[in-house]
Amino acid sequence: MKKVLYVDSLEDMNRLSKAIAEAVFPGFVIGLTGDLGAGKTTFTQYFGKHIGIDDAINSPTFTLMKHYQGDYFLSHIDAYRLEGAREDASLEEYIDSDGVCVVEWYTYIDLSMPETFLALNIEHLGDEKRRVTLEGNDRYEDVVNNLSY
């Protein structure tokens, strides 16, 4: 199932992240793609707040992964520096956990990604406007279908 949404402001991105956070279940995985500056980390910051994380969430580009505790344990992975690695990145224990995992640049570690997850592609359209394509299969199909944004 695929759905295309348009985000016109940071407040819209916040509302979208809240709608997705309301659908979270243990083991929830989000894969994010989009150009540099498209809003992947911004989405993750809003999403984290909506699952009860009070800590500041920032990009783990140079550390690869950061962890946060809220209503769910959140693993935030940025695979940007793993482009071209293609081999197993040994991240499965964090991606396939009982917590929640957000993976920026997930296509760079596709061999470590589960068969089913919620994929978001964020395209920058100028100023604060974004086109967000959500795609999910299996139990994530319901998340996409029932998303009230």
Side-chain angles (χ1 to χ4, degrees), residues 57-118:
I57 295 175
N58 50 43
S59 178
T61 299
F62 296 104
T63 58
L64 185 63
M65 180 176 6
K66 292 187 177 180
H67 304 285
Y68 305 91
Q69 183 63 55
D71 300 333
Y72 292 89
F73 181 78
L74 172 65
S75 294
H76 180 200
I77 299 169
D78 186 331
Y80 182 74
R81 293 179 51 216
L82 299 176
E83 180 180 17
R86 294 290 305 156
E87 73 269 0
D88 180 3
S90 299
L91 297 169
E92 291 84 3
E93 72 179 275
Y94 302 103
I95 295 171
D96 296 328
S97 72
D98 289 337
V100 174
C101 185
V102 175
V103 183
E104 296 185 34
W105 303 95
Y106 78 89
T107 56
Y108 292 175
I109 58 165
D110 58 347
L111 297 176
S112 295
M113 294 296 290
E115 283 187 38
T116 62
F117 62 94
L118 180 64

Side-chain angles (χ1 to χ4, degrees), residues 26-46:
F28 200 91
V29 178
I30 300 173
L32 300 174
T33 58
D35 291 334
L36 289 170
K40 297 177 296 297
T41 300
T42 299
F43 169 86
T44 305
Q45 291 168 334
Y46 288 135

